[in-house]
Amino acid sequence: MWPFSKKGVSGFSWSSTAEQVTHGIDASGFTAIVTGASSGIGVETTRVLALHGVHVIMAIRNIAAARDVKEAILKEIPSAKIDVMELDLSSMASVKKFASEFISSGLPLNILINNAGVMACPFMLSKDNIEQQFATNHLGHFLLTHLLLDTMKKTAHESNKEGRIVNVSSEAHKFAYSEGIRFDKINEQSSYNSWRAYGQSKLANILHANELAKRLKDDGVNIIANSLHPGAIVTNLYRHTSAINGIVNAVGRLVMKNAQQGAATTCYVALHPQVKGVSGEYFSDSNVCKTTSQGKDADLAKKLWDFSISLIEEK
Protein backbone atom coordinates (compact mmCIF):
# COMPACT_ATOMS: atom_id res chain seq x y z
CA MET A 1 0.00 0.00 0.00
CA TRP A 2 1.17 3.49 -0.82
CA PRO A 3 2.27 4.72 2.64
CA PHE A 4 0.63 8.12 2.28
CA SER A 5 -2.81 6.47 1.95
CA LYS A 6 -2.81 4.97 5.47
CA LYS A 7 -5.95 6.23 7.19
CA GLY A 8 -6.02 7.75 10.67
CA VAL A 9 -8.74 7.61 13.32
CA SER A 10 -10.89 10.05 11.33
CA GLY A 11 -10.95 7.68 8.36
CA PHE A 12 -8.88 10.07 6.26
CA SER A 13 -5.22 10.18 5.28
CA TRP A 14 -2.38 12.20 3.75
CA SER A 15 -3.82 11.61 0.30
CA SER A 16 -7.43 12.54 1.09
CA THR A 17 -8.75 15.57 -0.79
CA ALA A 18 -10.84 18.45 0.50
CA GLU A 19 -13.87 17.16 -1.36
CA GLN A 20 -13.44 13.68 0.08
CA VAL A 21 -13.20 14.83 3.71
CA THR A 22 -16.34 17.00 3.36
CA HIS A 23 -18.43 14.57 1.29
CA GLY A 24 -22.13 14.77 2.10
CA ILE A 25 -21.84 17.77 4.43
CA ASP A 26 -24.49 20.48 4.03
CA ALA A 27 -23.24 23.85 5.25
CA SER A 28 -25.95 25.98 3.66
CA GLY A 29 -26.57 29.14 5.62
CA PHE A 30 -23.02 29.35 6.97
CA THR A 31 -20.76 32.33 6.32
CA ALA A 32 -16.97 32.01 6.30
CA ILE A 33 -14.02 34.33 5.87
CA VAL A 34 -10.94 32.83 4.22
CA THR A 35 -7.76 34.91 4.23
CA GLY A 36 -5.29 34.43 1.38
CA ALA A 37 -8.07 32.98 -0.74
CA SER A 38 -6.70 33.96 -4.15
CA SER A 39 -3.84 31.44 -4.42
CA GLY A 40 -2.72 27.96 -3.34
CA ILE A 41 -4.84 26.07 -0.86
CA GLY A 42 -6.87 29.21 -0.17
CA VAL A 43 -8.47 28.87 -3.60
CA GLU A 44 -9.39 25.22 -3.07
CA THR A 45 -10.65 25.94 0.44
CA THR A 46 -12.91 28.65 -0.98
CA ARG A 47 -14.14 26.39 -3.78
CA VAL A 48 -14.95 23.44 -1.51
CA LEU A 49 -16.68 25.56 1.12
CA ALA A 50 -18.79 27.16 -1.63
CA LEU A 51 -19.53 23.71 -3.01
CA HIS A 52 -21.15 22.84 0.32
CA GLY A 53 -23.29 25.97 0.42
CA VAL A 54 -21.10 28.26 2.50
CA HIS A 55 -21.16 31.98 1.74
CA VAL A 56 -17.43 32.67 1.42
CA ILE A 57 -15.78 36.05 1.89
CA MET A 58 -12.41 36.03 0.15
CA ALA A 59 -10.14 38.29 2.21
CA ILE A 60 -7.14 39.14 0.05
CA ARG A 61 -4.61 41.77 -0.98
CA ASN A 62 -4.89 41.27 -4.74
CA ILE A 63 -8.47 42.12 -5.67
CA ALA A 64 -7.97 41.40 -9.39
CA ALA A 65 -6.61 37.91 -8.73
CA ALA A 66 -9.46 37.19 -6.33
CA ARG A 67 -12.06 38.22 -8.88
CA ASP A 68 -10.53 35.85 -11.41
CA VAL A 69 -10.75 33.03 -8.85
CA LYS A 70 -14.34 33.94 -8.06
CA GLU A 71 -15.31 33.89 -11.74
CA ALA A 72 -13.65 30.49 -12.23
CA ILE A 73 -15.50 29.01 -9.25
CA LEU A 74 -18.83 30.47 -10.38
CA LYS A 75 -18.37 28.85 -13.80
CA GLU A 76 -18.03 25.48 -12.07
CA ILE A 77 -20.57 26.16 -9.30
CA PRO A 78 -23.15 28.70 -10.56
CA SER A 79 -24.95 28.67 -7.19
CA ALA A 80 -21.79 29.58 -5.25
CA LYS A 81 -22.03 32.58 -2.92
CA ILE A 82 -18.68 34.38 -2.93
CA ASP A 83 -17.70 37.94 -2.15
CA VAL A 84 -14.30 39.62 -2.37
CA MET A 85 -12.94 42.06 0.21
CA GLU A 86 -9.52 43.68 0.39
CA LEU A 87 -7.25 42.73 3.29
CA ASP A 88 -3.53 43.26 3.83
CA LEU A 89 -2.60 41.34 6.97
CA SER A 90 0.74 43.11 7.27
CA SER A 91 -1.10 46.38 7.92
CA MET A 92 -3.13 46.84 11.09
CA ALA A 93 -4.96 49.73 9.46
CA SER A 94 -6.04 47.42 6.64
CA VAL A 95 -7.17 44.71 9.11
CA LYS A 96 -9.19 47.27 11.06
CA LYS A 97 -10.77 48.63 7.86
CA PHE A 98 -11.68 45.11 6.70
CA ALA A 99 -13.21 44.18 10.07
CA SER A 100 -15.17 47.44 10.23
CA GLU A 101 -16.58 46.94 6.73
CA PHE A 102 -17.48 43.31 7.42
CA ILE A 103 -19.21 44.16 10.70
CA SER A 104 -21.08 47.01 8.99
CA SER A 105 -22.37 44.55 6.36
CA GLY A 106 -24.47 42.87 9.04
CA LEU A 107 -23.43 39.41 7.85
CA PRO A 108 -23.15 36.56 10.35
CA LEU A 109 -19.82 34.79 10.78
CA ASN A 110 -19.70 31.07 11.49
CA ILE A 111 -16.21 30.19 10.30
CA LEU A 112 -12.97 32.17 10.27
CA ILE A 113 -10.08 30.54 8.41
CA ASN A 114 -6.76 32.29 9.05
CA ASN A 115 -4.98 30.85 6.03
CA ALA A 116 -2.82 33.55 4.43
CA GLY A 117 0.90 33.64 4.99
CA VAL A 118 4.40 34.43 3.78
CA MET A 119 7.31 32.02 4.05
CA ALA A 120 11.03 32.53 4.73
CA CYS A 121 11.19 36.03 3.26
CA PRO A 122 14.26 38.25 3.68
CA PHE A 123 14.24 40.48 6.74
CA MET A 124 11.86 43.38 6.40
CA LEU A 125 9.48 45.33 8.58
CA SER A 126 5.74 45.62 8.08
CA LYS A 127 3.91 48.91 7.72
CA ASP A 128 3.64 48.91 11.51
CA ASN A 129 7.39 48.32 11.94
CA ILE A 130 7.09 44.67 12.98
CA GLU A 131 9.07 41.82 11.42
CA GLN A 132 7.13 40.85 8.29
CA GLN A 133 6.52 37.14 8.93
CA PHE A 134 5.41 37.64 12.53
CA ALA A 135 3.28 40.61 11.46
CA THR A 136 1.57 38.84 8.55
CA ASN A 137 1.31 35.23 9.69
CA HIS A 138 0.46 35.84 13.33
CA LEU A 139 -0.30 39.41 14.37
CA GLY A 140 -2.56 40.30 11.44
CA HIS A 141 -4.63 37.18 12.06
CA PHE A 142 -4.60 37.77 15.82
CA LEU A 143 -6.02 41.27 15.31
CA LEU A 144 -8.55 40.09 12.72
CA THR A 145 -9.81 37.37 15.06
CA HIS A 146 -9.89 39.80 17.98
CA LEU A 147 -12.00 42.30 16.03
CA LEU A 148 -14.44 39.72 14.64
CA LEU A 149 -14.91 37.64 17.78
CA ASP A 150 -18.00 39.48 19.00
CA THR A 151 -19.65 38.91 15.63
CA MET A 152 -18.81 35.21 15.83
CA LYS A 153 -20.18 34.99 19.38
CA LYS A 154 -23.40 36.71 18.31
CA THR A 155 -23.76 34.36 15.32
CA ALA A 156 -23.13 31.25 17.43
CA HIS A 157 -25.68 32.39 20.02
CA GLU A 158 -28.41 33.40 17.57
CA SER A 159 -28.00 30.43 15.23
CA ASN A 160 -27.31 27.87 17.96
CA LYS A 161 -24.57 26.56 15.68
CA GLU A 162 -20.96 26.04 16.69
CA GLY A 163 -18.54 28.64 15.39
CA ARG A 164 -15.11 27.55 14.22
CA ILE A 165 -11.80 29.41 14.08
CA VAL A 166 -9.09 27.68 12.06
CA ASN A 167 -5.44 28.74 12.11
CA VAL A 168 -3.38 27.29 9.27
CA SER A 169 0.01 26.65 10.89
CA SER A 170 2.80 24.30 9.76
CA GLU A 171 5.14 21.55 10.91
CA ALA A 172 7.74 24.30 10.48
CA HIS A 173 6.77 25.37 14.01
CA LYS A 174 9.26 22.69 15.09
CA PHE A 175 12.07 24.85 13.68
CA ALA A 176 11.29 28.07 15.52
CA TYR A 177 14.02 29.82 17.49
CA SER A 178 15.11 27.85 20.57
CA GLU A 179 13.13 30.12 22.90
CA GLY A 180 10.04 29.69 20.73
CA ILE A 181 8.89 33.30 20.52
CA ARG A 182 11.62 35.98 20.73
CA PHE A 183 9.53 38.56 22.51
CA ASP A 184 12.44 40.94 23.06
CA LYS A 185 14.02 40.33 19.65
CA ILE A 186 11.08 40.28 17.24
CA ASN A 187 12.62 43.06 15.15
CA GLU A 188 16.31 42.18 15.60
CA GLN A 189 17.84 42.01 12.14
CA SER A 190 21.36 40.91 13.16
CA SER A 191 20.22 37.49 14.39
CA TYR A 192 17.32 37.08 11.97
CA ASN A 193 16.99 33.69 10.29
CA SER A 194 14.27 33.54 7.65
CA TRP A 195 13.30 29.91 8.33
CA ARG A 196 13.39 30.19 12.12
CA ALA A 197 11.35 33.37 11.90
CA TYR A 198 8.84 31.48 9.77
CA GLY A 199 8.79 28.69 12.36
CA GLN A 200 8.26 31.27 15.08
CA SER A 201 5.23 32.71 13.28
CA LYS A 202 3.77 29.23 12.75
CA LEU A 203 4.31 28.35 16.42
CA ALA A 204 2.48 31.58 17.21
CA ASN A 205 -0.50 30.37 15.13
CA ILE A 206 -0.73 27.25 17.31
CA LEU A 207 -0.33 29.10 20.59
CA HIS A 208 -2.92 31.68 19.52
CA ALA A 209 -5.48 28.95 18.80
CA ASN A 210 -4.72 27.18 22.07
CA GLU A 211 -5.10 30.27 24.26
CA LEU A 212 -8.20 31.34 22.34
CA ALA A 213 -9.74 27.88 22.82
CA LYS A 214 -9.13 28.12 26.57
CA ARG A 215 -10.70 31.56 26.81
CA LEU A 216 -13.74 30.57 24.75
CA LYS A 217 -14.27 27.49 26.91
CA ASP A 218 -13.92 29.52 30.13
CA ASP A 219 -16.52 31.97 28.79
CA GLY A 220 -18.90 29.14 27.84
CA VAL A 221 -18.98 30.30 24.22
CA ASN A 222 -20.05 27.85 21.49
CA ILE A 223 -16.95 28.46 19.34
CA ILE A 224 -13.97 26.17 18.89
CA ALA A 225 -10.45 27.17 17.84
CA ASN A 226 -7.87 24.83 16.34
CA SER A 227 -4.66 24.91 14.33
CA LEU A 228 -3.34 22.62 11.63
CA HIS A 229 -0.54 21.59 9.32
CA PRO A 230 -1.84 21.45 5.73
CA GLY A 231 1.11 19.35 4.52
CA ALA A 232 4.02 20.10 2.25
CA ILE A 233 2.33 21.52 -0.82
CA VAL A 234 3.39 22.68 -4.26
CA THR A 235 2.58 26.41 -3.96
CA ASN A 236 4.23 29.79 -4.54
CA LEU A 237 5.12 30.08 -0.83
CA TYR A 238 8.66 28.96 -1.69
CA ARG A 239 9.30 31.91 -3.98
CA HIS A 240 11.72 33.58 -1.54
CA THR A 241 14.02 30.53 -1.47
CA SER A 242 15.24 29.93 -5.02
CA ALA A 243 17.04 26.63 -4.34
CA ILE A 244 14.05 25.07 -2.59
CA ASN A 245 11.70 26.53 -5.16
CA GLY A 246 13.67 24.76 -7.87
CA ILE A 247 13.49 21.43 -6.06
CA VAL A 248 9.78 21.85 -5.42
CA ASN A 249 9.12 22.51 -9.10
CA ALA A 250 11.29 19.58 -10.16
CA VAL A 251 10.20 16.77 -7.84
CA GLY A 252 7.53 18.25 -5.62
CA ARG A 253 4.62 16.73 -7.48
CA LEU A 254 5.95 13.27 -6.69
CA VAL A 255 6.22 13.65 -2.90
CA MET A 256 4.18 16.74 -2.01
CA LYS A 257 0.46 17.33 -1.81
CA ASN A 258 -1.49 19.07 -4.53
CA ALA A 259 -3.89 21.88 -3.64
CA GLN A 260 -6.85 19.49 -3.37
CA GLN A 261 -5.00 17.43 -0.76
CA GLY A 262 -3.45 20.48 0.87
CA ALA A 263 -6.82 22.07 1.58
CA ALA A 264 -8.27 18.86 3.03
CA THR A 265 -7.32 19.37 6.67
CA THR A 266 -8.52 22.99 6.63
CA CYS A 267 -11.90 21.97 5.22
CA TYR A 268 -12.12 19.01 7.59
CA VAL A 269 -11.49 21.16 10.68
CA ALA A 270 -13.86 23.86 9.38
CA LEU A 271 -16.81 21.64 8.48
CA HIS A 272 -16.65 18.04 9.64
CA PRO A 273 -19.03 16.83 12.40
CA GLN A 274 -16.17 14.79 13.91
CA VAL A 275 -14.55 18.05 15.03
CA LYS A 276 -17.65 19.28 16.90
CA GLY A 277 -16.63 20.30 20.41
CA VAL A 278 -12.94 19.63 19.75
CA SER A 279 -10.92 22.74 20.59
CA GLY A 280 -7.31 23.69 21.22
CA GLU A 281 -6.01 20.82 19.10
CA TYR A 282 -3.48 20.60 16.28
CA PHE A 283 -4.43 18.63 13.17
CA SER A 284 -2.49 17.06 10.31
CA ASP A 285 -3.81 14.89 7.47
CA SER A 286 -7.34 15.44 8.83
CA ASN A 287 -6.46 13.83 12.16
CA VAL A 288 -5.53 15.18 15.59
CA CYS A 289 -1.74 15.28 15.75
CA LYS A 290 0.95 16.00 18.34
CA THR A 291 2.78 19.28 18.36
CA THR A 292 6.06 20.15 20.06
CA SER A 293 6.23 20.79 23.80
CA GLN A 294 6.38 24.51 23.00
CA GLY A 295 3.17 24.15 20.99
CA LYS A 296 1.42 22.92 24.15
CA ASP A 297 3.07 25.39 26.53
CA ALA A 298 0.15 27.20 28.21
CA ASP A 299 2.42 29.79 29.83
CA LEU A 300 4.04 30.62 26.49
CA ALA A 301 0.58 30.89 24.90
CA LYS A 302 -0.58 33.30 27.62
CA LYS A 303 2.60 35.37 27.27
CA LEU A 304 2.14 35.55 23.49
CA TRP A 305 -1.48 36.62 23.94
CA ASP A 306 -0.52 39.45 26.28
CA PHE A 307 2.36 40.46 23.98
CA SER A 308 0.07 40.50 20.93
CA ILE A 309 -2.55 42.56 22.74
CA SER A 310 0.11 45.10 23.67
CA LEU A 311 1.23 45.36 20.03
CA ILE A 312 -2.24 45.86 18.58
CA GLU A 313 -3.15 48.41 21.27
CA GLU A 314 -0.03 50.46 20.49
CA LYS A 315 -1.17 51.14 16.95
Side-chain angles (χ1 to χ4, degrees):
M1 180 186 290
W2 180 241
F4 294 151
S5 63
K6 183 180 179 181
K7 294 179 180 178
V9 174
S10 68
F12 304 113
S13 70
W14 181 98
S15 59
S16 298
T17 66
E19 283 199 38
Q20 289 170 343
V21 304
T22 54
H23 179 72
I25 295 174
D26 181 8
S28 300
F30 282 73
T31 301
I33 291 174
V34 182
T35 68
S38 61
S39 64
I41 62 174
V43 173
E44 181 65 1
T45 298
T46 298
R47 187 187 74 83
V48 172
L49 291 182
L51 186 65
H52 291 278
V54 179
H55 178 190
V56 183
I57 311 300
M58 300 174 67
I60 42 72
R61 279 188 311 170
N62 189 332
I63 292 288
R67 285 175 177 155
D68 289 343
V69 170
K70 176 183 175 179
E71 288 178 13
I73 293 174
L74 285 172
K75 282 182 181 178
E76 178 192 349
I77 314 167
S79 62
K81 294 171 67 178
I82 300 173
D83 286 307
V84 174
M85 291 179 65
E86 186 174 7
L87 172 65
D88 179 357
L89 286 157
S90 69
S91 163
M92 289 195 212
S94 177
V95 175
K96 290 174 182 176
K97 182 173 183 287
F98 173 92
S100 176
E101 290 177 352
F102 180 82
I103 292 167
S104 295
S105 74
L107 286 169
L109 183 58
N110 305 90
I111 303 165
L112 173 59
I113 299 179
N114 293 319
N115 165 79
V118 292
M119 177 192 281
C121 58
F123 180 84
M124 62 184 84
L125 296 178
S126 71
K127 293 170 183 174
D128 301 294
N129 292 315
I130 298 167
E131 189 275 310
Q132 186 76 4
Q133 294 192 82
F134 189 82
T136 303
N137 297 352
H138 165 65
L139 198 62
H141 283 128
F142 180 90
L143 176 58
L144 180 67
T145 305
H146 183 72
L147 295 174
L148 295 176
L149 201 52
D150 282 346
T151 300
M152 290 198 73
K153 289 178 179 178
K154 182 172 183 260
T155 301
H157 177 72
E158 293 180 351
S159 67
N160 199 29
K161 293 178 180 177
E162 180 184 76
R164 297 190 180 187
I165 297 169
V166 184
N167 282 1
V168 179
S169 179
S170 168
E171 283 290 271
H173 78 274
K174 295 177 177 178
F175 309 112
Y177 296 107
S178 59
E179 60 267 56
I181 309 294
R182 309 174 89 197
F183 296 104
D184 57 344
K185 298 179 181 177
I186 287 293
N187 291 344
E188 187 175 279
Q189 184 172 1
S190 61
S191 59
Y192 176 80
N193 178 288
S194 61
W195 281 103
R196 292 204 178 278
Y198 177 67
Q200 171 180 249
S201 71
K202 294 289 102 179
L203 174 61
N205 291 151
I206 296 172
L207 295 173
H208 172 215
N210 292 353
E211 178 67 15
L212 182 57
K214 177 182 179 298
R215 288 168 180 260
L216 292 168
K217 182 179 180 181
D218 289 347
D219 291 344
V221 178
N222 189 23
I223 300 173
I224 60 173
N226 293 290
S227 56
L228 64 92
H229 170 52
I233 306 156
V234 179
T235 74
N236 66 357
L237 268 179
Y238 302 95
R239 63 188 179 275
H240 293 297
T241 51
S242 57
I244 293 178
N245 195 42
I247 294 171
V248 167
N249 289 333
V251 302
R253 299 180 199 288
L254 300 176
V255 296
M256 300 174 79
K257 292 184 179 185
N258 56 33
Q260 291 74 31
Q261 294 164 329
T265 306
T266 301
C267 291
Y268 172 80
V269 176
L271 292 182
H272 207 285
Q274 288 177 353
V275 185
K276 182 176 174 60
V278 178
S279 197
E281 295 289 350
Y282 175 68
F283 290 78
S284 181
D285 298 335
S286 302
N287 284 276
V288 173
C289 182
K290 288 185 178 180
T291 181
T292 61
S293 58
Q294 286 181 330
K296 282 294 183 184
D297 188 329
D299 291 335
L300 187 61
K302 173 64 165 58
K303 187 175 181 180
L304 174 65
W305 184 280
D306 293 341
F307 180 68
S308 302
I309 288 290
S310 70
L311 288 176
I312 65 175
E313 288 181 346
E314 283 178 5
K315 304 299 179 183

